[in-house]
Amino acid sequence: MTQTLRLHYAPDNASLCVRLALLELGLPFETALLDRQANAQNAPEYLAINPNGLIPALETPDGPIFETAAILLWLADRQPGTLCPAPTDPGRGNALKWLFWLSNTLHPALRLLFYPGFHIGPSEADQEQLRMRTRERISDLLDILAAAPDAPWLDAEAPSIHACYLAPMLRWPAIYGGRTDWYDLGRWPRLLAFAQRFENRPAAIAAALAEGLGPCPFSAPVHPTPPEGSAT
Ligand SMILES: N[C@@H](CCC(=O)N[C@@H](CS)C(=O)NCC(=O)O)C(=O)O
C-alpha cells in the first residue's frame, strides 16, 4: 500500500476536483496519468484500483478510494474544519447535504449529457433526445443551486470541497456534450461570481496550469491544451 497520495487522473476529468482539493490543503501528492485515448481507465491495472473504470481514484495509506465525493470528504477530514465543517460542527449536516447533491444529482446529470450512449445505446437520434432533456434538467438544477439560501460555501471567500467539486462541473457544459450554445453561466450571476472568485485562488491557478485549462477555466472555459494526456 502506498504511503503517499497518488492521484490517478486525466486532464479536465473529475480528477480535477480532487487535484483542486489537494492543492487547497497543501498536501503533497503524486499524479499517475491515465491515457484516455488508450482507454487506460479500463485497463486491468486501473480496474484493480477502481473496478468501475472511472476517473478519479486516489491511492492513500488507507487504501485506494474512488468516487469523487468520497475522496474529497476523506481529504477534508485530514484537516477537519478546513474544507468542510468537522463532524461535530452544527454545519456538518448542511455541508453533507450539498456534497451529496453535487455527487448524486448534479454530477450524474452531467454524465447523461457527456455519455448518453452509455445510458441509451448507440442511436444518435436517441442520444440527442436524451441530451436535449438533460440540458433542461441541468439548467433546472443550477436554478436550484443559484437560489439556495443554505449554500454558504457558494459565496464564501474560503475554499471548500464543495467549491472544488462544483467549479469543474460549471466548466464542462461550456465545452463538452455536443452543442454548447444552450449554456451561459452569466444566466446565474451568483454562480458566475463564484467561478470568477474561485479561479483566482492560487490552487485553481496551479491546477489550470497543470492541466492546460487556460486563464479563466471556470468563468470562461475553452478546450484544454494539457501538457500531457487528453481530456477525452
Ligand atoms: N461517479 C464517479 C463519476 C466519475 C466520472 O464520471 N469520470 C469520468 C471522467 S470526468 C470518466 O471516468 N469517464 C470515462 C468513462 O466513462 O469511460 C465519480 O464521482 O468519481
Side-chain angles (χ1 to χ4, degrees), residues 12-15 36 39 41-42 50 53-56 66-69 103 107 111 115 118 165 172:
D12 208 11
N13 279 225
S15 42
R36 286 206 50 173
N39 197 26
Q41 71 271 27
N42 285 306
N50 183 353
L54 293 173
I55 307 164
F66 53 78
E67 283 298 316
T68 305
S103 164
H107 198 170
R111 279 193 55 87
Y115 304 99
F118 183 82
Y165 204 162
W172 297 325

Side-chain angles (χ1 to χ4, degrees), residues 7-21 36 46 54-57 67-69 71-72 107 110-111 114-115 164-166 168-169 172 176 211 231:
L7 174 62
H8 293 263
Y9 94 105
D12 208 11
N13 279 225
S15 42
L16 173 59
C17 310
V18 177
R19 183 192 290 274
L20 287 162
R36 286 206 50 173
Y46 185 67
L54 293 173
I55 307 164
E67 283 298 316
T68 305
I71 300 170
L72 290 174
H107 198 170
L110 292 177
R111 279 193 55 87
F114 303 145
Y115 304 99
C164 296
Y165 204 162
L166 177 66
M169 290 202 281
W172 297 325
Y176 304 118
E211 302 200 5

Side-chain angles (χ1 to χ4, degrees), residues 154-211:
L154 259 183
D155 314 305
E157 286 299 327
S160 61
I161 50 173
H162 305 72
C164 296
Y165 204 162
L166 177 66
M169 290 202 281
L170 295 182
R171 162 184 169 78
W172 297 325
I175 50 177
Y176 304 118
R179 36 172 283 254
T180 55
D181 54 351
W182 64 279
Y183 183 76
D184 174 10
L185 194 56
R187 176 175 155 189
W188 300 279
R190 188 181 179 199
L191 302 184
L192 179 61
F194 158 81
Q196 288 168 333
R197 197 167 42 244
F198 188 71
E199 72 196 3
N200 284 312
R201 295 190 55 77
I205 293 168
L209 202 63
E211 302 200 5

Side-chain angles (χ1 to χ4, degrees), residues 2 127 211 218:
T2 179
Q127 291 188 16
E211 302 200 5
F218 305 122

Side-chain angles (χ1 to χ4, degrees), residues 20-22 24-25 75-76 79-85 159-162 164:
L20 287 162
L22 285 161
E24 284 291 0
L25 289 166
L75 284 173
Q79 296 176 16
T82 309
L83 293 188
C84 186
S160 61
I161 50 173
H162 305 72
C164 296

